[in-house]
Structure formats: C-alpha cells, structure tokens
Amino acid sequence: MTVTQEPAEHTSGLSRTADGRVVPSARRRFVPVLARADHDSFAGWATATVLGMLALFLQIWNLGRPNRFLFDETYYAKDAWSLLHHGYVTDYVAGADKKIIAGQTTGLFKDNPSMVVHPEVGKWVIALGERVFGLDSYGWRISSAVVGALMVFVMVRLVRRLTGSNLLGGTAGLLLTVDGLHFVMSRSALLDIFLAFFLLCAVACLVADRDWGRMRMARLVPSGYRTTASDWGPVRGLLWRPWRLSAGLFFGLACGTKWNALFPLAAFGILVWLWDAGARRSLGVRNARARAFVVDAIPAFFYLVVVALVVYVVSWTGWLLHADVYERALSNTQYGPYWGGYLQHDAQGFFPELIQSLRSLWNYHQDVYTFHTRFLNDATHSYQSKPQWWLVLNRPVGMQADLGIEPGQQGCTAAAGSTCLRQVLLLGTPALWWGAAIAFLYAIWGWVARRDWRFGLVVVGVVSTWLPWIRYDDRPIFSFYAISILPFTVIGLTLALGVLMGGPRATPARRLWGTTLAGAFVVLVVLNFAWFWPIYTGELITTPDWLHRIWFKAWI
C-alpha cells in the first residue's frame, strides 16, 4: 500500500474547445478525492480504534505514579479543582500541595481569585477527570491520557484520508503512540496536550472540508461545463460548510487553551483560501485566487475566525460571571494600572453586566499579555530551551526525579558504590524526531517542487506551531511546547515513508527494498521508545543504566 498520488492543482494540461468549454476530463480532476473518501472501509476505522486503545492502555498504566505534582501540574490541577467548585480560579493556602498529596481536599482554597495567565478550556478538561476520580494524581491526569489516545485515533483517520492507505494511517498512529513527548504529556496534567489535540482535530476537519468541497463541486459542475471570462464557478451550493464550522469550533477550543493557537489558525486560514482557489482553477476559472477570496475566503473567515472567537469568549464564562470579584482583587497589579469598572459603577441588567464583564475581560487580557511578553523576560529556568533546536531535541524537561537511592532501598539493585534513581523526562523518541526533521526538509521540496498539497499541510503546520516561538526566546520557554508541532512532523514522516515504499509505477524490486527500509525505520522507533521507557515512566533504574540513556550533556 503506497501513498495515493494526486496531481497538482493548476490549470496546465486542461483542454478547452474554441468556445471556452472545458472538456470532461477537467471535471475528473477531483476523481482522486472521490476515490479516497468514498472507498473507506471497516479496516480503516478498526485500525484507528485498535491503536487508540493501545495508546490509552500504555498511558493509563500506573498513571497515578508518582503520586506528586509533576512540573506545572501544581498550577493546573489546583486551578481545575477550583474551577469545578467555585466557578473561577481562586488562590490557595500555604502548603496546599503537601495537603493534597496526603489526601486532603477541603480547606485548601481562599476566597480571592488567582491571577491565571492561560485561558480556561484546558483546565476545564482536567477538571472533568477530577470530577470523576477526585483530586489525586490519577484524577488530574486521566483527561490527558484520554485526549492523548484520541489524538492517535484522529491521526490515523487523518492520514488515512490524506493517503487512502490504511497501512500508512496505522503507521502514523503507531509513530504517535510511541513518541516519548506525546506519551509523557499524555500522562501529565499540562495544557499543551489539549492544545495539540484541538489543533489536530481542527486540521483534520479542514482536510475533510477540502474533500467535501471538491466532491460537492464535482456534483455541481455538469459535463460540458462552459467557462467564460466572467465565470466564478459554483457558489451557492458551497456556502454551507459543516466541516469548516467544526474546524472553527476546534480552533476556538485551541485558542481557549493557549493563545499560541492563533498562529496556526491564521496560517491554515490562508491555506484554505489557496485550496479553494486551486479547486476553482482546476475547473478553468480565471483569476481564481481573487474570486475565491470573495466567494470562499470571506465566508471561511466567519466559519473559522468568528466562530473561534465566539467559542473562546464563551470558554471564559466562569470569569465573566465573576468579573466583579476579579476586578476587586486584580484590577490594580504590577502588570498594569487600575482597569476596574465595577468598582466605579455596578452595572445592572443582563446586557449592561455582559458589556461590563467583557470590558473587564479585555482589560484583564492586557495584563496577561504584559505578563507573558514583559514580566518574564528577565526570568530564567534550568530547563528552558531555544526553540530553534526543538526538532533535534536540544533540551528536554525533567518533570520529576528521586536521586541517590542507595542499594537495598526501594528495591535498588545497584552495585556497591553506585545508586539508583527515578526520573520522568519529557523527551521525544530520538529516532522519530530526528527522522521527522529530515522528512520535514523533504516536505518543503515535496510542496514546492512536486506541488503536492499534502506536504504543504505539513510545512504550514510545522512553521505555524514552531517558528512563532523564536520571537519569544528571550523568556523561559520549554521544549514540551513542541507537542503542537509533533502531529505535523509525524504526518510528514509518514508521507515520506510512503514515498520511500514506492508509487504504483515502481518496480517490484523497488517496492520491496523501499518497504523494507520503511518497516525497519518504524521498528527502530518502537525499540527506541522501549529503551527510554524507564525514564518516561519514572521506573527505578540504576545510575549507570540511566547514563546509558542520557546521550548528551544537555539532557541532564
């Protein structure tokens, strides 16, 4: 099974009669789309389900261990519990972490609100797990595990749609399952796993919309379709885009988790316009980009940006309902001058209160922006890293470590003079990430030279989730932010493996050695993941065995 090859979407090779009529072969430009979408099978869904269940099994194995807060879990787990019980994030008493680990769930929080610097959606998702399982390490991590498994499911379905191959869809899902960064993030109550999931879902919806729009266009364009200088192509039948609406919802949830989702939203919005223009150009529409901007891009703006904005604002409902509480506590801080309104005039009535709360939320956002762009500029952290080198795993994040465990203690079997340790290290599977970095370079060539739109999706996804961080490399940022880049590098790597396996015109010998190399690489990634398993899960390991896994000084 190989990658389905689709022709580039341009007008070269289209034949027209003297009166401007496009020959029926132009309408068949969308046949590959119809073939990929209409010939799905039970095997495709079964593959996605099995791999999703495998990922979930691995991620919930000893999920509650270690029974402590890992890295920034100390913020998000408590914020989620506060949202669940107060409707907004409150401050907490001194020593709250130790009390929670000891099993205490009452008397932990104060009445005054806390200055939260990230939106609410991801914390609400964490709160769902805590609502079911309680305020303990399993409860605040289970939502991440479920979302991580769903990411694998969506990945399989997306790549299957891109390639028409169940084998390649399954390969992409397996690669994501055995990536160390994805695995550890799926076992931690951090926000970025939710951001990556919502972005992946949004892009999957856009790809489905691309297919849906072309299928719709193919049905709206009859054989013998005539093109003229003033022809715009089908318009009325393409205004309702359910998949595009779904993408807007997911982009809104992504922005409601972390603000950096704005960059892929903008980038993919432009890419959608280019996809629409390419579809119209394939039908012979002249000035396709300009006309697609009017009839496709403007409606797409409402589907993606306006819908995302509405979802984002709604996600702050808890804040809006308690805007007066926030103003009294936080409207005059080190992040900016007084911005309170309720303290001057207590609005009455639904719409006056809504307007006042929205105004307060806007002013609060200005303080949060100041915190991220100015207040942190002079801060440092031992695990901060330069985003320029994330794709080659320059600096992983140590989530937790118990060092100096003596022989005979806690089951340590180290030789005399040595010790054991436990560590949870946020590190991507090296074989996968380094292979994906090479595949990304190939994706650039595949988009520019081969004009394969699928590699364009990879390039736009990687660039929009990676390069914006370089602007903020003067403040502490961490390599686990790269979890949003990972889905696109996995897609690019899978597409490259499909090319390596050979196309339909490849000789049997070429396909044999290509498939062998591709399979060997996948096996290498799986074995590499297994090798790092002890430091992904915090297992007891001797110091010499740990050093065998710390390949570079920067990984310490």
Side-chain angles (χ1 to χ4, degrees):
M1 191 71 68
T2 58
V3 175
T4 302
Q5 300 295 329
E6 292 189 28
E9 292 186 341
H10 51 81
T11 57
S12 61
L14 293 182
S15 300
R16 296 189 181 87
T17 59
D19 61 358
R21 180 172 59 85
V22 178
V23 298
S25 59
R27 186 166 173 260
R28 291 197 294 271
R29 302 276 290 182
F30 301 136
V31 167
V33 176
L34 296 168
R36 285 190 290 107
D38 290 347
H39 290 77
D40 202 351
S41 63
F42 171 78
W45 289 98
T47 300
T49 302
V50 169
L51 285 171
M53 295 301 294
L54 172 64
L56 182 61
F57 173 77
L58 294 175
Q59 286 151 196
I60 65 175
W61 182 267
N62 287 328
L63 181 63
R65 192 185 71 184
N67 183 29
R68 64 184 65 181
F69 291 103
L70 304 179
F71 207 69
D72 283 351
E73 282 187 340
T74 183
Y75 304 114
Y76 306 132
K78 295 197 292 286
D79 287 356
W81 187 260
S82 183
L83 282 172
L84 190 63
H85 289 84
H86 301 97
Y88 62 95
V89 177
T90 62
D91 204 353
Y92 39 85
V93 300
D97 286 12
K98 292 182 178 179
K99 294 178 180 180
I100 292 172
I101 297 303
Q104 182 176 338
T105 59
T106 59
L108 301 171
F109 297 93
K110 303 177 181 179
D111 294 330
N112 59 296
S114 174
M115 174 74 181
V116 294
V117 295
H118 291 298
E120 309 280 50
V121 171
K123 287 168 279 188
W124 276 113
V125 179
I126 295 173
L128 292 177
E130 294 178 340
R131 176 67 178 84
V132 177
F133 296 99
L135 185 60
D136 56 32
S137 55
Y138 191 93
W140 64 65
R141 292 173 191 158
I142 185 62
S143 292
S144 298
V146 172
V147 166
L150 289 174
M151 274 188 71
V152 172
F153 181 91
V154 175
M155 175 64 74
V156 175
R157 296 303 305 161
L158 172 56
V159 175
R160 198 273 172 207
R161 179 178 286 275
L162 289 171
T163 64
S165 168
N166 291 330
L167 176 61
L168 291 179
T171 298
L174 179 61
L175 291 174
L176 186 60
T177 299
V178 297
D179 174 65
L181 181 61
H182 174 265
F183 177 73
V184 178
M185 291 293 288
S186 298
R187 293 167 56 86
S188 310
L190 303 183
L191 300 181
D192 299 81
I193 187 69
F194 308 118
L195 170 64
F197 172 68
F198 292 136
L199 287 178
L200 179 62
C201 288
V203 172
C205 288
L206 290 181
V207 173
D209 172 78
R210 186 183 185 278
D211 285 356
W212 184 92
R214 280 156 177 72
M215 288 190 290
R216 183 76 173 163
M217 190 174 289
R219 295 186 179 107
L220 292 173
V221 176
S223 297
Y225 177 71
R226 295 176 179 273
T227 58
T228 63
S230 61
D231 188 25
W232 291 64
V235 176
R236 183 183 303 176
L238 294 171
L239 292 178
W240 168 240
R241 308 293 286 258
W243 283 111
R244 201 163 282 186
L245 173 63
S246 299
L249 293 173
F250 282 116
F251 274 125
L253 292 172
C255 293
T257 302
K258 276 196 168 183
W259 285 354
N260 47 298
L262 288 170
F263 296 105
L265 169 58
F268 278 100
I270 296 173
L271 187 62
V272 163
W273 163 47
L274 297 178
W275 284 350
D276 291 337
R280 294 188 180 278
R281 186 182 300 112
S282 294
L283 294 176
V285 174
R286 298 167 177 81
N287 299 318
R289 288 184 182 174
R291 290 176 175 176
F293 182 84
V294 175
V295 299
D296 295 315
I298 292 178
F301 178 84
F302 287 92
Y303 276 120
L304 299 181
V305 178
V306 175
V307 169
L309 177 61
V310 171
V311 171
Y312 178 80
V313 173
V314 169
S315 74
W316 284 92
T317 298
W319 200 101
L320 293 171
L321 292 175
H322 301 89
D324 58 330
V325 178
Y326 275 95
E327 281 197 11
R328 290 184 177 92
L330 302 173
S331 59
N332 189 14
T333 68
Q334 69 269 37
Y335 306 114
Y338 171 76
W339 49 259
Y342 276 106
L343 302 186
Q344 297 174 340
H345 173 68
D346 190 4
Q348 299 293 325
F350 177 79
F351 287 106
E353 288 189 39
L354 176 61
I355 294 173
Q356 176 73 319
S357 296
L358 289 172
R359 183 184 299 116
S360 296
L361 183 62
W362 171 254
N363 290 324
Y364 181 76
H365 273 55
Q366 292 178 313
D367 280 1
V368 173
Y369 182 78
T370 299
F371 170 82
H372 283 296
T373 57
R374 299 178 188 175
F375 186 76
L376 292 178
N377 286 354
D378 296 327
T380 59
H381 195 285
S382 59
Y383 284 114
Q384 69 186 69
S385 60
K386 292 293 185 180
Q388 294 90 326
W389 308 108
W390 282 350
L391 296 188
V392 292
L393 305 176
N394 61 323
R395 178 64 171 157
V397 175
M399 298 282 282
Q400 175 268 337
D402 290 329
L403 307 176
I405 302 174
E406 296 294 334
Q409 297 181 0
Q410 304 181 33
C412 176
T413 59
S418 184
T419 58
C420 294
L421 58 85
R422 300 179 188 271
Q423 183 183 38
V424 177
L425 190 67
L426 260 173
L427 172 70
T429 304
L432 188 154
W433 279 78
W434 296 339
I438 297 172
F440 174 64
L441 298 177
Y442 179 82
I444 297 173
W445 181 85
W447 189 28
V448 175
R450 297 181 58 187
R451 304 192 67 177
D452 189 326
W453 68 274
R454 295 165 301 178
F455 288 109
L457 181 148
V458 172
V459 173
V460 171
V462 171
V463 168
S464 62
T465 54
W466 175 32
L467 295 188
W469 285 109
I470 297 177
R471 178 185 176 188
Y472 303 106
D473 66 353
D474 56 347
R475 49 155 286 189
I477 51 180
F478 306 97
S479 60
F480 65 80
Y481 297 167
I483 187 67
S484 297
I485 308 172
L486 177 63
F488 303 105
T489 57
V490 168
I491 294 171
L493 179 58
T494 305
L495 292 177
L497 291 176
V499 173
L500 178 63
M501 292 165 63
R505 295 188 180 88
T507 64
R510 163 69 176 80
R511 297 187 66 178
L512 176 61
W513 69 257
T515 303
T516 301
L517 288 177
F521 176 79
V522 174
V523 171
L524 175 63
V525 172
V526 173
L527 294 176
N528 198 203
F529 172 75
W531 174 250
F532 284 96
W533 175 272
I535 59 176
Y536 289 150
T537 57
E539 288 189 357
L540 186 68
I541 188 174
T542 66
T543 300
D545 287 341
W546 175 78
L547 289 171
H548 290 156
R549 290 162 173 82
I550 304 301
W551 294 349
F552 304 99
K553 184 177 180 180
W555 289 8
I556 298 176

